[in-house]
Amino acid sequence: MMSDNLKVPTMASYLAEGKQPEVLFWVGCAGSFDDRAKKITKAFVKILNNINVDFAVLGTEEGCTGDPAKRAGNEFLFQMQAMTNIEVLNAYEVKKIVTACPHCFNTIKNEYPALGGSYEVIHHTQFLKQLLNEGRLKVEGGKFKGKRITYHDPCYLGRANGEYEAPRDLLRKLEVELVEMKSCKSKGLCCGAGGAQMFKDAEKGDKEVNIHRTEQAVEVKPEVIAAGCPFCNTMMTDGVKNKEKQDEIEVLDVVEMIANADDL
Amino acid sequence: MILDYLPQILFLIVLIAAILFFAKNVSSLKRNINLGRDVNRTDQKNKRFKKMMRVALGQSKMVTRPIAGILHIIVYIGFVIINIEVLEIIIDGVLGTHRIFGFLGPVYDVLIGTFEILALLVLLSVIIFWIRRNMMNIKRFLAQELKGWPKNDANYILYFEVVLMVLFLTMNAADLQLQLMGAQHYASEAGIVGSFPVSQYMLPLFDEMTIDTLIIVERTAWWLHIVGILIFLNYLYYSKHLHILLAFPNVYFSNLDPMGKFKNLDAVTKEVKLMMDPNADPFAEPETDGDEDMPEKFGASDVQDLNWFQLLSAYSCTECGRCTAECPANQTGKKLSPRKIMMDTRDRMEEIGKDLNKGKEITSDNQLLDNYISREELWACTTCNACVDACPIGIDPLSIIMDMRQYLVMEQSAAPVELNNAMTNIENNAAPWPYNQQDRLNWAKE
Ligand code: SF4
Ligand code: SF4
């Protein structure tokens, strides 16, 4: 591994220089604090640095989008968070936001506009796809070429917002052998984390949702389970450990695979 | 002679009674749906109409499960087309004519022939449906919420259809035999009226019968068939079969936004804006006009707190269980079943409806929350939208779950403990975990 020499400018520093970045990278709570998710954040930044994408983060001015509060039923707390964030985003005159978290993506894209925050919001896989189309990013097989990969659709990217292809297109660019699980795309099975479940114990049942989903993944015998959400990533990683398959199956974010393929 | 008109008079009485009873049910239905709050679902008319054409008329979501989907399309097309014949039957009944559309000649032959083939296909499909439902251990038909009335209801409908189709074919077969025998009123100089590709095979059944007996058979089948249809029409209100009517408005009024977009409560927006406005005087009297659109309560604990679309959906639900079959919580043995959410909503609405039938007051002490839908069910939902996507007629069980969670959290502060911790963290340090907001960029330096 190369040492992390990340360039992560903040919006505040951009403003001080009187500049606007091309895009704001919304890191999200998981991406900022969760050890596993931080790796995804860094992989994404490495790619952005590598191809000189002009981006900035809010850093300490960013706060939870309010997604878990809203899905838990706490509309008040959600709107407090939303309005606080919108104030900051509008003060910086942000136009375009990219995020590696489908929950942040969905909330800012769909639920902020009515509260006064309208931006172009895209998921990191969509952004990378754009860069690819513009010829700014090159993705080649590298170390994943020919490997058996299955992609787990995050509910809030897939069903909730209809994006099934951008992550798959990126994986195809990596020349992997893409295999689909029994439930995929619009029928994709949830990892079990959504709707604020991440932050509570599950109700009584026969098994945990993430185990159920992992079993579907294990069935197609992948070498890597590709994900596009830090929460799905945690859930699937736990699931793979529970099935004692961690030596055979890796759980990686699509952006980590692109960064790894390039040995960034 | 008045006696000559007796059948027509009788027919008119039966028809009018059936229509009046149906109208009464429709008005209860409307009254119950209007118990709900208002929601704007009349915008984007073009888009809505197209969606209705595609999803309700075109059955586009049915074929995701190919076997059930194709069988359903056969029964559906059969139902719609055979109803053209019902029009003729009603006109004949009122005017005392026989096969009044017979003058159409070859067109009529094609029509009757098509009806017969469809009737046979419907019959076969319905038998397969019955076998699937009762003998094949298909999980979505075995669920707890289908025990008792819902299961019987589903079977009654299938029996009904079998009987109706058999009566239809018997009526035609007897008619054909009468025509062949040259019976008065039946035979026509122009030759055989209608074509009978299916019922012709039933002729051997009538070999020994006299014209008089045959007329009795034909008339009995004719009467039972049309009375059966009128009974069926009035059975709808009590049945999941109401979907044959309500699927259309339900799809029309269904949500057009991305599924991930949950509605924001405007009343909360006002309050939050006021709180965040540095110029607002915290001690000022609340604006009176602001209070008017302040809801009495946040979220939903009973059906009156839901909106009319959600209530319409409860009546439209076909209890097919496609939603529940896709639900991750249900698949892993949790109590939650989105189909049950819809069935409970309808049952509770009916309970209130019964009170309202008796008088103006709602006397029952029950409510949707706890008496019908438990908290355990509500908290098991991952808000994954699989149920919403799976529903063939645009029902959104998740929206009801969310409204009820909102009530639990905002009115009762009754979230699970761990969730309360996460929410306290969000409030204090803008993340669901207890990390300091000032450390949010530390990852960049690690
Ligand atoms: S949104 Fe909730 S009820 Fe619907 S399928 Fe997902 S977990 Fe089940
Ligand atoms: S809500 Fe839709 S999918 Fe679920 S049982 Fe009713 S009709 Fe079927």
Side-chain angles (χ1 to χ4, degrees), chain B residues 307-319:
Chain B
N307 65 49
W308 61 259
F309 174 70
Q310 293 167 317
L311 300 185
L312 169 68
S313 292
Y315 277 119
S316 310
C317 174
T318 73
E319 299 170 16

Side-chain angles (χ1 to χ4, degrees), chain B residues 142-176:
Chain B
L142 298 175
Q144 193 56 39
E145 69 259 22
L146 283 196
K147 299 254 149 68
W149 166 249
K151 184 182 165 130
N152 294 338
D153 174 33
N155 280 331
Y156 293 160
I157 293 161
L158 297 178
Y159 301 145
F160 238 113
E161 306 215 22
V162 169
V163 170
L164 287 179
M165 291 304 119
V166 168
L167 285 170
F168 176 68
L169 291 171
T170 311
M171 170 183 105
N172 279 356
D175 193 304
L176 175 60

Side-chain angles (χ1 to χ4, degrees), chain B residues 140 243 313 316-324 338-340 342-343 387 390-397:
Chain B
R140 67 190 162 107
H243 78 272
S313 292
S316 310
C317 174
T318 73
E319 299 170 16
C320 68
R322 287 168 181 241
C323 51
T324 297
R339 165 172 59 189
K340 178 176 172 290
M342 301 317 298
M343 294 171 70
C387 52
C391 181
I393 55 171
I395 293 176
D396 184 348

Side-chain angles (χ1 to χ4, degrees), chain A residues 64-232:
Chain A
C64 175
T65 57
D67 161 83
K70 185 167 184 89
R71 317 282 139 188
N74 195 337
E75 180 72 7
F76 198 81
L77 180 55
F78 159 69
Q79 291 204 13
M80 288 292 288
Q81 289 304 119
M83 302 248 215
T84 313
N85 285 325
I86 289 169
E87 239 174 41
V88 176
L89 290 167
N90 287 353
Y92 284 120
E93 292 175 23
V94 171
K95 300 273 175 315
K96 181 168 175 176
I97 299 175
V98 62
T99 174
C101 173
H103 296 267
C104 299
F105 164 74
N106 176 70
T107 306
I108 303 176
K109 181 179 158 67
N110 291 321
E111 289 157 3
Y112 279 23
L115 302 173
S118 296
Y119 322 99
E120 181 194 347
V121 189
I122 54 174
H123 187 241
H124 67 316
T125 57
Q126 295 173 318
F127 188 58
L128 292 175
K129 177 92 190 295
Q130 281 179 4
L131 295 173
L132 200 73
N133 289 346
E134 290 164 10
R136 294 162 72 186
L137 173 70
K138 299 237 169 349
V139 178
E140 272 156 18
K143 71 184 241 205
F144 294 104
K145 189 169 174 171
K147 285 205 173 173
R148 226 176 136 79
I149 315 282
T150 191
Y151 171 71
H152 164 83
D153 289 283
C155 301
Y156 276 89
L157 182 64
R159 241 185 328 269
N161 289 292
E163 182 59 85
Y164 305 106
E165 289 311 319
R168 285 182 171 80
D169 284 344
L170 293 171
L171 291 172
R172 281 187 204 108
K173 276 278 167 199
L174 287 170
E175 297 168 65
V176 305
E177 184 199 341
L178 191 60
V179 284
E180 296 292 353
M181 288 179 251
K182 193 166 90 193
S183 314
C184 64
K185 301 190 183 167
S186 69
K187 297 260 169 256
L189 180 70
C190 177
C191 71
Q197 296 292 346
M198 186 75 188
F199 308 103
K200 61 182 268 300
D201 292 329
E203 275 54 43
K204 213 164 90 278
D206 322 323
K207 64 171 138 165
E208 298 282 339
V209 176
N210 69 324
I211 305 295
H212 191 50
R213 182 54 164 169
T214 307
E215 284 167 0
Q216 285 194 347
V218 170
E219 244 168 53
V220 296
K221 303 195 166 46
E223 290 165 84
V224 178
I225 299 171
C229 168
F231 298 103
C232 298

Side-chain angles (χ1 to χ4, degrees), chain A residues 62 64 71 156 197 201 212, chain B residues 331 379 381 383 405 437:
Chain A
E62 186 187 283
C64 175
R71 317 282 139 188
Y156 276 89
Q197 296 292 346
D201 292 329
H212 191 50
Chain B
Q331 284 180 12
W379 288 118
C381 174
T383 72
R405 276 191 184 181
Q437 191 170 11

